[in-house]
Amino acid sequence: MHQPDHLKNAGLKTTLPRLKVLSLFESGRERHMSAEDVYKQLLSTGDDVGLNTVYRVLTQFEQAGLLVRHYFEGGKSVFELNHGTHHDHIVCLQCGHVEEFYDASIEARQEIVAAERGFTIREHSLYIYADCNKMPCPNK
Amino acid sequence: MHQPDHLKNAGLKTTLPRLKVLSLFESGRERHMSAEDVYKQLLSTGDDVGLNTVYRVLTQFEQAGLLVRHYFEGGKSVFELNHGTHHDHIVCLQCGHVEEFYDASIEARQEIVAAERGFTIREHSLYIYADCNKMPCPNK
DNA sequence: AATGCAAATGATAATTGTTCTTATTTGTTG
DNA sequence: CAACAAATAAGAACAATTATCATTTGCATT
């Protein structure tokens, strides 16, 4: 069992709501979820957790480094498991569907752009906003 | 007078609130402003414009291509004059200094990445966070 | 296993940023 | 300068998020 350890290490009590939220992310059903998404997923499996608790837990998990928060257009936050490896995101403006990508060429160009200006890159965020062109949109 | 022309060309009536908002941006006092920022700036000069009108006008200006909207972290929109040229930003983590850049290669790769996944790009935002390595940092 | 207490939760309300509704006013066109 | 469509202001409505606070829960200590 490593889930409780994650919580313990973060100085968080091992509570039912926290375990439910964490295992939902670890189930892999949805990689990117907003607070509302998590809330509805838990509701659908009978695991009622208050929406405010979901918000609180997500924020705590972010601070503990268990989750990564993304600020997408439309003003809502989306979370995903922090698996350590960098990637960028392409987000559908119609349905909110998110896909990850990694492009070595883009990464390399960024290094060059920074170097040309005398900067040393610490991190970066690239979000492509697009239409997924799927009918109907997966998440809609 | 070119401001009214901008409005006319966009199919927008030349109204007082629109002129006030536009000239505030063109004054150059602040390059990036949220709806709230614009509202307060106008209040401070006695040019009362309702906050809802500010929102409406900003959205219209964005659609007309006069302004560009940025979605910043924290879920609020910020606008700036549209100088016609798309650019990304590199931000110094030490001093907050911001430089704009445009890299055709990165732009092209994004199109490819999106196309490979069946997406049609609407827009994108790329922020590089770095150290500017200038001693002392320009803005510090 | 029972006790105590800090920490966590849930219900509710408050906040923030933004959009909608509708009656009134304003800009333009004839 | 009259008429009519378009734009505005005031206030309500909304969605995402955060705060308040009484009750409950996890967990260390008996």
Side-chain angles (χ1 to χ4, degrees):
Chain A
M1 296 252 291
H2 65 298
Q3 287 178 14
D5 288 354
H6 282 158
L7 298 177
K8 285 261 172 61
N9 294 343
L12 299 170
K13 276 188 185 174
T14 309
T15 66
L16 236 48
R18 283 172 183 159
L19 288 176
K20 286 174 181 172
V21 171
L22 191 50
S23 61
L24 172 58
F25 274 99
E26 292 187 332
S27 77
R29 291 187 54 188
E30 291 277 350
R31 296 189 55 161
H32 302 85
M33 284 181 284
S34 67
E36 195 71 29
D37 293 335
V38 171
Y39 176 69
K40 284 179 181 162
Q41 282 288 329
L42 293 180
L43 264 191
S44 74
T45 53
D47 299 309
D48 295 37
V49 176
L51 180 56
N52 49 356
T53 300
V54 170
Y55 273 104
R56 234 182 338 220
V57 169
L58 289 176
T59 300
Q60 290 163 341
F61 284 4
E62 182 202 4
Q63 287 165 351
L66 293 172
L67 296 178
V68 178
R69 179 197 299 254
H70 298 287
Y71 296 90
F72 288 159
E73 290 197 1
K76 64 171 78 176
S77 297
V78 173
F79 298 80
E80 70 176 316
L81 272 185
N82 181 4
H83 33 64
T85 61
H86 166 75
H87 54 258
D88 293 309
H89 296 85
I90 183 164
V91 186
C92 177
L93 289 173
Q94 308 305 316
C95 65
H97 176 63
V98 179
E99 288 191 21
E100 300 167 356
F101 70 90
Y102 176 85
D103 187 279
S105 166
I106 291 179
E107 303 289 324
R109 287 298 307 171
Q110 289 184 47
E111 289 293 345
I112 292 171
V113 164
E116 282 172 354
R117 288 165 179 71
F119 284 71
T120 309
I121 293 187
R122 289 281 165 252
E123 58 181 313
H124 73 262
S125 71
L126 168 57
Y127 296 101
I128 297 179
Y129 299 101
D131 295 337
C132 73
N133 295 327
K134 295 179 182 66
M135 298 294 273
C137 286
N139 291 3
K140 214 173 196 175
Chain B
M1 294 253 289
H2 63 300
Q3 288 178 15
D5 289 353
H6 282 158
L7 296 178
K8 285 261 172 61
N9 294 342
L12 298 170
K13 277 189 185 173
T14 310
T15 66
L16 237 49
R18 284 172 182 159
L19 288 176
K20 286 173 179 171
V21 171
L22 191 49
S23 61
L24 173 58
F25 274 99
E26 292 185 333
S27 77
R29 293 185 54 187
E30 291 277 350
R31 290 189 53 167
H32 299 84
M33 284 181 285
S34 67
E36 194 72 28
D37 294 335
V38 171
Y39 177 69
K40 284 180 183 161
Q41 282 288 328
L42 294 180
L43 265 190
S44 74
T45 54
D47 300 309
D48 295 37
V49 176
L51 179 56
N52 47 359
T53 299
V54 171
Y55 273 104
R56 211 175 328 114
V57 169
L58 289 176
T59 301
Q60 290 163 339
F61 284 5
E62 182 202 7
Q63 287 164 352
L66 292 171
L67 297 178
V68 178
R69 179 198 296 256
H70 297 287
Y71 296 88
F72 282 174
E73 297 196 354
K76 64 171 77 178
S77 297
V78 174
F79 298 80
E80 71 174 318
L81 273 184
N82 181 5
H83 304 95
T85 58
H86 164 76
H87 53 257
D88 293 307
H89 297 89
I90 183 165
V91 187
C92 176
L93 289 173
Q94 308 306 316
C95 64
H97 176 63
V98 177
E99 286 191 22
E100 298 167 355
F101 71 90
Y102 176 85
D103 187 276
S105 166
I106 291 179
E107 303 289 324
R109 287 299 306 171
Q110 289 183 47
E111 289 293 345
I112 292 170
V113 164
E116 282 173 353
R117 287 164 180 72
F119 284 70
T120 307
I121 293 185
R122 289 280 163 254
E123 58 184 309
H124 72 262
S125 76
L126 168 58
Y127 291 95
I128 297 179
Y129 301 100
D131 294 339
C132 74
N133 295 327
K134 295 178 182 66
M135 296 295 274
C137 284
N139 291 3
K140 214 170 193 173

